[in-house]
Amino acid sequence: MRSDQAGVGLGLTIVRSTVQAHDGTLTIEGRRDGGLRVSVVLPTGEASGRLGDVVPSEAL
């Protein structure tokens, strides 16, 4: 998408839903230059189980 085209506004909504589903955090900060800083932090280790069973690679 070119920078002069308007989006439909779903991008951050989709990211937020995905991050929440993985028990992560999403931080959005406004910048002085008019941009945004978006940070996504996802946990490592055991899955929460909400997305299905995770099989360790050693078991495959």
Side-chain angles (χ1 to χ4, degrees), residues 16-55:
R16 180 176 177 249
S17 296
T18 304
V19 170
Q20 286 178 333
H22 291 278
D23 294 328
T25 58
L26 173 67
T27 305
I28 302 171
E29 301 173 33
R31 296 179 52 160
R32 291 183 189 179
D33 64 2
L36 290 175
R37 176 178 300 211
V38 179
S39 300
V40 173
V41 178
L42 298 173
T44 60
E46 293 185 31
S48 67
R50 290 187 298 172
L51 297 175
D53 295 330
V54 175
V55 178

